[in-house]
Amino acid sequence: MPNILIIEDDAAFCQMLQKFLTKHAYKVQTSFTAPDAKVKFSETDFDVVLTDLRLPDYDGIQLLTDIKKVNPKTQVILMTGYAEVGTAVNAMKKGAYDYISKPFTPDEIVMVIQNALQSIPETTSKHKDTASTLSKEVVPNNSKKQISSDVNTIVGVGEASLQLAKYIKLVAPTDMSVLITGESGTGKEVTAKAIHDQSRRKDFPFVAVDCGAIPKELATSEFFGHVKGSFTGAVEDKIGNFEAANGGTLFLDEVGNLSYDNQIQLLRALQERKIKRVGSTKEIRVDVRIITATNEDLIEAVEKGSFREDLYHRLNEFSITIPSLQERFEDLVLFAEHFLAKANENLHKKVAGFSKAVWDAFRQYHWPGNLRELQNVIKRSVLLTAGEKVEIEALPQEVSRPSSKHNGNTQFSKSEFEKDRIIKALKRTNFNKSEAAKLLQVTRKTLYNKISHYKLDL
C-alpha cells in the first residue's frame, strides 16, 4: 500500500482529502505544519508527498528541497492557486513531480498520484498494481503539468482556460458539430485536435483543411476526391478529405472563405453522409465528425447573404470561443515556460529562463498575435540567446518597447493596457477585488492603488 503524506494548513480540506485517498487504498498521514511534516518524512519513507505551495510557517520551495534531501525518490506534488503558477513551474525544475491547481476534483488528484507512483523507477510491484487498478477506475483528465507536453495539449489554469477545458470535455464525447471562433493565433486547430483526442473517434484520423488556401475550382476535388481523367490534371484517382477522415474528425479552418457553391456541396454531404468523387457516379458513405473554425463573424456573413444560414446552423450545433491571450493573462507564465521548453528542444539549446526585464516586457505587451505570436517570439529569442537566460535585447522591438506599438491610429500605452487589464479582471470576478488581484498577480493593496490611480469608478 503506497504511503502518502499530505501537508496542508487547512485542516478541514486536509482531512477530507485524507479520507478520500484512504478509500482508494492509500495509507495516508497528514501534517498541518511544515515542522511536523519534516519530522514525519524523516521517520517514514513516503512514496508521494502532497503539499500546499504556500504554508504559513515555511517556504514551499525550501520544503521541497528538504524532502528531496531525505529521500530523492519521493514524488512531490504541489497544490497551488493559479496565481502561483510561475513558482510552481520553478519548483518542477527543482524536482517536484507535478502541480495541481485548486480547486481540483477527487478524480484529478487520484490520477496525478497514480502517474507519480508509476514514474518511480523502483516502485514495488504492489504499488504498480495499485496504480494500474486506479487507472482503470478513474477517467483520465487534462493534467496541469504541461511543461514537457506537446503543444496540442497545453492547458492553462486561469478562469478562462479552465472554462475552455470544461467546454472541450463536455462536447468531446458527443458527435455534435462544433464551431470554434476566436482571434487569429489563439489555437483553434489545437482546440479542435483536443476535442478529437478526447472523443470516441480518437483512434481514427484527424484531418485538418485550410479552406482559405483552397482555390474555388479545386475545392470539390479536395473535399470529395476525383477519379483519373475526370478533368485536366487528374492523372490518377485521389481520395478526398471526407474519405481520408472517415471514422474520425474533419477540421475545416476558415470555413467562412468557402464559395457559395462549395457551401452547397458541403451542406449536401453533411445532410446525406454520402459523397461522390469528381467524375464518378458511385456514392460513398462516410462517417465524419465536422469541426469548423473562423475568425470572421459568420452571423454577419449570413445577414449579408455570403454564407448560407442552413449550413451555419448545421455547423454550429455547439460553439466555443477561444479566449485571447489577454483574457488568459494569468496563464502567461505557464505558456511562456512551455514554449521555452519546446524551443530548447527544437533548437537543441539549454536556456534556463527569462530575465526580470523580459518578464516585465511580456506582461506589458498586449500580444495581438496571441499564443502563436508568443511562441514565435520565444523561439526567436532562444535562438539569439547565448547565456542561461533570455535578456531583453533578444526580444523584437515591438515586444521590448510596447509603448511604440500602435493600435489603429491611437498609440497603445502601457497605462492604457494596464487599465484595460484591471477592468477585465474585475468584470471576470464579478468585481471581487481579492479574486481580481489574484488574476492580475498583484496584492490587494496594489490593486486598490491602481484603481485609485486610474480613477476607476467601480
Side-chain angles (χ1 to χ4, degrees):
M1 181 181 293
N3 279 325
I4 295 179
L5 175 63
I6 303 173
I7 309 170
E8 168 64 69
D9 62 306
D10 184 337
F13 175 76
C14 187
Q15 290 168 356
M16 179 185 68
L17 189 55
Q18 178 188 28
K19 185 176 180 181
F20 175 79
L21 293 177
T22 301
K23 287 182 179 179
H24 280 74
Y26 293 120
K27 185 177 179 180
V28 183
Q29 294 188 47
T30 61
S31 288
F32 303 141
T33 67
D36 180 66
K38 292 176 72 173
V39 171
K40 286 181 177 175
F41 65 68
S42 66
E43 295 175 346
T44 305
D45 287 332
F46 290 101
D47 300 291
V48 175
V49 172
L50 277 170
T51 178
D52 197 330
L53 183 59
R54 182 177 295 177
L55 295 168
D57 56 351
Y58 208 74
D59 178 70
I61 302 296
Q62 182 58 50
L63 185 60
L64 166 66
T65 304
D66 295 341
I67 294 170
K68 287 295 184 179
K69 282 182 180 179
V70 174
N71 188 350
K73 294 179 182 178
T74 298
Q75 299 288 44
V76 180
I77 299 170
L78 303 173
M79 298 180 290
T80 76
Y82 53 66
E84 301 162 331
V85 171
T87 308
V89 169
N90 291 331
M92 288 172 61
K93 293 180 178 179
K94 295 180 181 295
Y97 171 74
D98 203 345
Y99 67 92
I100 185 166
S101 297
K102 298 176 181 177
F104 49 78
T105 67
D107 283 352
E108 286 176 335
I109 193 63
V110 169
M111 180 58 66
V112 175
I113 291 172
Q114 168 226 320
N115 291 339
L117 287 170
Q118 289 182 327
S119 69
I120 301 174
E122 296 181 8
T123 302
T124 64
S125 59
K126 183 178 180 180
H127 289 186
K128 287 185 177 180
D129 289 343
T130 301
S132 178
T133 301
L134 285 169
S135 68
K136 296 175 183 177
E137 296 175 349
V138 181
V139 179
N141 71 94
N142 288 325
S143 172
K144 303 300 185 295
K145 179 187 177 185
Q146 298 298 344
I147 304 308
S148 61
S149 303
D150 184 80
V151 67
N152 287 349
T153 59
I154 186 168
V155 177
V157 294
E159 182 184 345
S161 295
L162 291 177
Q163 186 64 48
L164 174 61
K166 178 181 177 181
Y167 284 151
I168 292 172
K169 186 176 182 180
L170 180 68
V171 77
T174 75
D175 270 335
M176 296 174 72
S177 297
V178 181
L179 174 63
I180 301 173
T181 60
E183 297 176 8
S184 178
T186 50
K188 292 187 283 292
E189 183 173 342
V190 168
T191 299
K193 185 64 164 58
I195 293 172
H196 172 78
D197 289 342
Q198 296 180 44
S199 74
R200 289 170 291 185
R201 297 174 178 268
K202 63 183 178 181
D203 295 326
F204 293 89
F206 174 86
V207 177
V209 181
D210 183 356
C211 297
I214 305 175
K216 174 184 175 181
E217 299 76 15
L218 297 179
T220 306
S221 173
E222 288 294 319
F223 282 145
F224 311 125
H226 62 250
V227 296
K228 181 179 179 180
S230 57
F231 56 86
T232 303
V235 296
E236 60 183 0
D237 290 353
K238 177 185 176 180
I239 294 177
N241 300 132
F242 270 82
E243 280 188 84
N246 195 24
T249 302
L250 179 60
F251 173 59
L252 304 178
D253 197 8
E254 299 305 339
V255 68
N257 289 327
L258 290 177
S259 70
Y260 204 80
D261 289 341
N262 295 147
Q263 293 174 35
I264 295 173
Q265 294 170 335
L266 177 59
L267 178 63
R268 185 180 298 120
L270 295 178
Q271 290 174 334
E272 299 177 1
R273 297 292 172 177
K274 297 176 183 177
I275 58 103
K276 289 181 184 178
R277 293 186 186 180
V278 177
S280 173
T281 58
K282 179 183 177 182
E283 287 188 331
I284 302 172
R285 188 173 294 278
V286 289
D287 173 24
V288 174
R289 181 187 194 170
I290 300 294
I291 300 178
T292 52
T294 181
N295 58 9
E296 299 178 15
D297 188 340
L298 287 188
I299 295 179
E300 184 179 338
V302 168
E303 292 174 351
K304 291 179 178 178
S306 59
F307 199 87
R308 291 183 62 97
E309 183 175 6
D310 47 4
L311 177 59
Y312 171 75
H313 290 300
R314 173 72 66 171
L315 299 177
N316 190 28
E317 291 180 334
F318 188 88
S319 62
I320 295 177
T321 300
I322 310 298
S324 66
L325 185 52
Q326 280 194 47
E327 294 172 303
R328 306 169 79 177
F329 219 72
E330 60 268 34
D331 292 326
L332 178 65
V333 172
L334 176 62
F335 292 140
E337 292 282 359
H338 172 80
F339 291 137
L340 174 65
K342 296 298 292 183
N344 277 327
E345 181 182 346
N346 293 336
L347 300 173
H348 308 291
K349 305 264 287 189
K350 294 182 179 180
V351 178
F354 305 95
S355 69
K356 182 181 183 302
V358 170
W359 280 124
D360 289 343
F362 280 176
R363 291 188 176 100
Q364 291 168 15
Y365 187 55
H366 61 294
W367 300 106
N370 294 292
L371 287 175
R372 184 185 297 126
E373 182 181 14
L374 176 63
Q375 182 175 18
N376 291 342
V377 165
I378 289 176
K379 190 171 184 179
R380 174 188 182 275
S381 65
V382 168
L383 180 64
L384 296 174
T385 297
E388 291 187 356
K389 288 188 175 183
V390 174
E391 300 294 342
I392 193 74
E393 294 78 17
L395 299 183
Q397 182 175 332
E398 64 268 20
V399 180
S400 61
R401 300 177 185 176
S403 61
S404 65
K405 184 70 177 179
H406 284 70
N407 185 7
N409 295 322
T410 305
Q411 192 172 29
F412 193 94
S413 69
K414 175 184 174 182
S415 60
E416 290 170 339
F417 178 52
E418 185 173 57
K419 179 180 176 181
D420 184 60
R421 282 188 62 211
I422 290 172
I423 293 172
K424 285 183 177 179
L426 287 166
K427 286 181 178 179
R428 276 171 40 204
T429 58
N430 198 24
F431 295 91
N432 182 317
K433 295 181 178 62
S434 295
E435 293 300 317
K438 290 179 181 179
L439 284 179
L440 296 166
Q441 298 184 17
V442 298
T443 66
R444 199 166 183 266
K445 181 179 179 181
T446 299
L447 177 58
Y448 272 104
N449 290 338
K450 295 289 186 183
I451 290 173
S452 175
H453 173 73
Y454 292 121
K455 298 178 181 178
L456 299 175
D457 186 15
L458 302 170

